[in-house]
Every structure is written in C-alpha cells, then in structure tokens.
C-alpha cells in the first residue's frame, strides 16, 4: 500500500513540478534547464509526500496542497545543488547522476539553486484554496525551517566541522537543523493547511521529530550496510571522511536500537489517529528496512 | 530634502535589519556574522527607500512596511554576495570592502547568500498591519522579480555573455531583469501595501520602469566618468572587460541623452501626483548627478 501511495503521489508531484518550472517559452532557457535537471534527477518526493500524508491523516485531501508540497521539494533540491558545490561537499555524483555544477558549471549551479529557492516561494504563495492568513503562517514556518536557524544552519555546522571531532549534541543539533526541520515543516504544513486541531498538529509535530531522527540514524547505518548501487555513493564514505555519525559515535548495534526507538515513538505519537494515518505509520516503519 | 529623507529612512532600515538578523543568541553564530557583514557593508538602502517613498507618495506611511522593505534589501544583498563569487564575477572588493567569500570563504559566502534570501521571506511574511491577501500578492510579485524570470535571469545572461558581443535588446532585457525588476517590485510593493488605487499603481509602475532604466544608463556612464574612490571599483572596468554597456553600444553623449529622457518620462508618470511624490521626483532626478 505504501509503495502504491508513494508512486501515485510522486506522479502528481512530478506533473505539478513540471508545470511550475516549465521548459517552454521561458527566457533565459538555460537556467530553467538547470533547475529542471536537478528537480527531475530521481528524488523520492519525501517532503511533498509527508505533507500530503499528514493532511490525509486528519481527514484532509493532501493533493489539494500541491503548491506548498512542490515548494518543499524545490527547497530540498536547491539545498542539494548548493551542498554538492566544490566549495561545499564537492560531489561529482548524486543518485548516480552528475551533479549540477559538473553539467552546467559552477556559476550556473549556484544560480539554479538560487532560482529554485526563489521559485519555491513564488509557487507556495500561489497556493489556491487556502485562507490567506493560514498560508502566510505555513510558508513562514517553512522559511524558518529552511533558513539559518534550520537547514542552512545545519549545513554551516556540517561545513565547519569537516575533519573535526564533534560531540553527540552537536551532531544531533546538526541533523535536526539540516534535515529534521524541513521534515517537521512539511508535516506541520499538511496538518495546518488541512485545518487540523491543536492536539492533532502537536501529535503530528512529535511524529515528525521522531521521523527525522529515525531518518538520520538509518541514513548513517546505510553508509555502513548499504550497497553503492542503491545509495548512489561509495559505502563507508562517512567513515573515510572522518565524519561523525550515529554509527561512528555509538556503534552499529546501538544505532539500530536508537532507530527502532525513534520509530516506536513516532507510532506512539499517532496513537489517537485512525486508519487515515496508516500511510504515516508505514512511512516511518519503512525507514527500518530502507536500502536507499 | 532628499538627503535628509534618505538619511532618516536609512537609519530606520538599518535599525530594523539589525533586529531582523540578530547577532546575539543565535546559533551557529558564524552564519549570522557573515549575513550581517554584507548587510552592513555600506548599502544605500535604495530599494527600501523606493518602497517607502512610493507608499508616502499616495498618502501612506512608508515606515509602516519595514518588514517588506528590509526583505528587499536582504534579497539585494544576497544577490551581491553570490554575484561576487569566484564562479561568477570573481570580485575581491565591493564598495571598498572585501567581499564575503574573501572574508568567510566561498562555502560560507554561498550559505550567507542563501540565508539572506531565505530570511527575506521569513521577515516579509511577518509584516504586521497588512491584509493577508494583499501581503501574499506583494511578496509573490517580489519573488517573481527576484527569480529566474527576473533578477536571477538577468545574472544568467550577464554570466553567459561575458566576453561576448550582445545586442542592445539583450542588454536592455538583461538590465531590466537584473536590476529593474526589483526596483519595480519595490515601488509596486509600497503602492499596494499603502492601498493605492489602480491608476496610482499603474503610474508608479511606469515611474519605476523609467527609474530603473535611468539607473542603469547612469551606472554605465559612471564607469567612464566616475572616480575609483567614489564608485568603489576601477574606472573603465566595463570597457576593459569588453562588457556591453549603454556607453560602449552607443556613445557617452547618446547615453546621457537617453538618461535624461528616462528621467523626464519618470517625472511625467508622476504628473497627477501631489507634493507627496516629491521624494520620488528627487530620487530619479538625483540619478543624473550621481557620483556612486
């Protein structure tokens, strides 16, 4: 059921993204080409799907909020383009495809990222069918999650701690900021756009926190147990790069225990939700068996 | 009078910017330091001032819209940081100060730009005292002006035409996109936030178009007639870099005529406005005698 849901919603998101970032009748065409290259480079559309599943979980209709959902994907994609730049992680490949700066050059890659970040707001602000004050609140939260106190701040810590030893508090702050904050904004956006009650929004926020934690720990585990073919980068690259991870700071076994606990906590946060929340439950359970 | 207005409004903007991008109790501190370094590197606050003067010109109170005004300055500042990067214009100095990547490194400069762009939206979305639907429309216009069809698109053309001959149509499109679009968004934002009537918004839009044109032509003239001390970069650098400008494509005399005409047109657009629009009139007239 989860696979079907993700495929179905993924298609809807792809279709909407293609319309939001068109390739025809645009000038200058190169920048749109670069923006689309990364947007359609095999992303799993996890943030849009989390938004939609959160809206569904309280009886809303997730696909009514495609503008905000796609905005989240555009923000995520811009962050990958900039993270891959030579001045940052200097990665030539992502998901087995050449990174933006390898294809379009560094200057254009920076601009493609800037373009996607800016367009994300254009697209989100054009979200139809939502009360204007609710929309402002939701996009405000997303901008906060994506900013210097959130995703960008996490990348700053990542960048400045390369090759240095960081402690577990810094590591967990970094991940919460770099990845967790946008997951949380996605889930909260779905809940708020669909008109969730306070208790529902609070429960979904807790779910999202635990989801983010489980996502990051299993990401670190995959770096050790995954295959290059599936994860799209050399196995053990974190260890090789002396990167602090949940596995290197604890152990593989302990990291697996922690991931299990986070999933249990996420499910617990949904205990008052009916079967409408089954997709969210499956999404977090799936992290324990992910291979990419 | 203009000088006093600009000094007074500049101070208000500086004060608000310092509050919107704080230096205390923020984590990680480095990114905020980098964002503030460029925000307070001697900018003339032209876009916030245009917004405020436009609101004033129709009987509003420009300083009521500091969030949106500061958002414009943050967007402008991020664009300068990214334009100066080695992969773009590769400039070591701006306004006589070291550029962001020379002080903080390339990775941090990219992130400081990203942080300012993102924070611009956080700050604008928090604008108090404005109807939510009006605010959404205004910020949507600003995001469009800043995006791939506006400012970023202009930079793409600039980047890809370096050392190449471009015709006058491409040049004027490039400038309109790179600089004009955000000027226009600033003026329109002030008009719309202050509740301007359709005819007022239309007149101010025309004013802004002519202002942008006059700004760019006089910028090209300054490259030839200015002093390094005042313009903060070597005189004649456009000619040296084989950059197409209004002066190189026409002549100095013809460019001066064109600047005069644009200023006349801008004043003409304000002909039905009272003395409340005097600041806007002085702002555009001042372009003809600018020395930086």
């Amino acid at each position: 059921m989860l696979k079907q849901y993700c495929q179905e919603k993924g298609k809807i998101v792809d279709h909407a993204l293609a319309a939001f970032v068109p390739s025809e009748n645009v000038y200058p065409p190169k920048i749109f080409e670069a923006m689309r290259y990364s947007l359609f480079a095999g992303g799993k559309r996890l943030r849009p799907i989390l938004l939609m599943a959160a809206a569904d979980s309280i009886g809303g209709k997730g696909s009514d909020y495609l503008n905000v959902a796609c905005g989240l994907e555009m923000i995520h994609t811009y962050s990958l383009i900039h993270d891959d730049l030579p001045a940052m992680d200097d990665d030539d490949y992502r998901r087995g495809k050449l990174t933006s700066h390898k294809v379009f050059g560094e200057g254009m890659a920076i601009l493609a990222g800037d373009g996607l970040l800016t367009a994300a707001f254009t697209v989100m602000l054009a979200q139809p069918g939502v009360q204007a004050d609710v929309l402002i609140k939701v996009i405000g939260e997303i901008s906060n999650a994506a900013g210097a106190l959130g995703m960008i701040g996490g990348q700053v810590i990542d960048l400045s701690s390369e090759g240095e030893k960081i402690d577990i508090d810094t590591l967990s702050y970094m991940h919460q900021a770099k990845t967790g904050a946008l997951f949380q904004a996605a889930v909260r956006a779905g809940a708020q756009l669909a008109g969730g009650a306070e208790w529902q929004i609070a429960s979904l926020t807790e779910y999202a926190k635990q989801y983010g934690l489980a996502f990051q720990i299993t990401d670190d585990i995959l770096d050790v147990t995954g295959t290059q073919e599936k994860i799209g980068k050399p196995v053990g690259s974190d260890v090789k790069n002396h990167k602090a991870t949940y596995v290197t700071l604890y152990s593989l076994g302990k990291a697996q225990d922690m991931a299990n606990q986070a999933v249990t906590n996420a499910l617990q946060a949904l205990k008052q939700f009916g079967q409408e929340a089954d997709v969210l439950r499956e999404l977090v359970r799936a992290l324990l068996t992910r291979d990419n």
Side-chain angles (χ1 to χ4, degrees), chain A:
Chain A
M1 171 191 145
L2 181 65
K3 200 177 161 191
Q4 199 196 323
Y5 184 92
C6 291
Q7 274 179 350
E8 191 188 306
K9 302 298 178 195
K11 257 186 214 163
I12 296 173
V13 169
D14 283 358
H15 193 259
L17 283 172
F20 290 141
V21 185
S23 57
E24 306 279 320
N25 300 317
V26 283
Y27 183 79
K30 201 76 185 170
I31 181 79
F32 288 88
E33 193 193 321
M35 288 159 70
R36 288 172 66 100
Y37 175 82
S38 296
L39 265 185
F40 297 103
K44 295 187 292 264
R45 314 307 188 202
L46 207 45
R47 289 147 196 84
I49 286 170
L50 279 169
L51 181 151
M52 289 191 267
D56 292 346
S57 79
I58 54 173
K61 192 175 164 217
S63 53
D64 282 349
Y65 311 112
L66 271 177
N67 284 63
V68 178
C70 288
L72 288 164
E73 187 69 14
M74 292 158 80
I75 291 173
H76 171 60
T77 305
Y78 117 78
S79 77
L80 300 182
I81 297 176
H82 283 192
D83 282 5
D84 287 336
L85 287 166
M88 308 270 220
D89 296 349
D90 196 13
D91 281 317
D92 292 354
Y93 288 91
R94 178 175 290 273
R95 300 184 193 121
K97 288 186 73 171
L98 284 171
T99 46
S100 181
H101 62 274
K102 296 304 285 182
V103 177
F104 298 97
E106 227 178 301
M108 190 63 82
I110 294 169
L111 291 167
D114 294 345
L116 282 170
L117 173 56
T118 310
F121 286 98
T122 313
V123 166
M124 291 191 291
L125 287 159
Q127 170 68 53
V130 174
Q131 250 178 258
D133 56 338
V134 174
L135 188 58
I136 285 178
K137 184 168 186 297
V138 165
I139 305 178
E141 279 194 19
I142 291 171
S143 72
N144 244 317
L149 292 170
M151 190 176 72
I152 293 172
Q155 176 64 6
V156 168
I157 298 172
D158 201 3
L159 183 71
S160 46
S161 65
E162 208 154 287
E164 280 182 39
K165 276 192 181 158
I166 63 173
D167 60 24
I168 188 65
D169 288 343
T170 308
L171 178 75
S172 68
Y173 179 89
M174 181 185 88
H175 287 315
Q176 206 291 319
K178 190 171 169 175
T179 323
L182 206 58
F183 282 143
Q184 194 174 309
V187 169
R188 283 179 59 85
Q192 292 179 89
L193 289 168
E198 279 304 319
W199 73 267
Q200 290 173 315
I201 297 171
S203 301
L204 288 168
T205 303
E206 178 60 21
Y207 164 86
K209 274 187 195 165
Q210 300 296 335
Y211 180 94
L213 185 58
F215 182 92
Q216 191 53 55
I217 301 173
T218 53
D219 207 56
D220 288 351
I221 292 172
L222 263 190
D223 183 65
V224 179
T225 64
T227 64
Q228 171 157 0
E229 190 199 342
K230 291 277 189 184
I231 64 177
K233 60 176 182 177
V235 174
S237 65
D238 291 343
V239 178
K240 203 181 120 217
N241 296 330
H242 306 288
K243 263 199 163 169
T245 75
Y246 283 98
V247 175
T248 60
L249 282 181
Y250 294 98
S251 67
L252 184 57
K254 172 74 179 156
Q256 276 161 337
D257 289 347
M258 290 169 76
N260 282 323
Q261 186 60 53
V263 171
T264 303
N265 293 346
L267 294 171
Q268 178 66 17
L270 299 178
K271 67 179 189 299
Q272 296 190 59
F273 287 62
Q275 63 184 21
E276 296 84 3
D278 279 352
V279 172
L280 287 181
R281 293 188 182 97
E282 288 192 53
L283 275 167
V284 70
R285 272 198 210 103
L287 292 176
L288 295 177
T289 52
R290 63 189 281 210
D291 60 5
N292 69 58

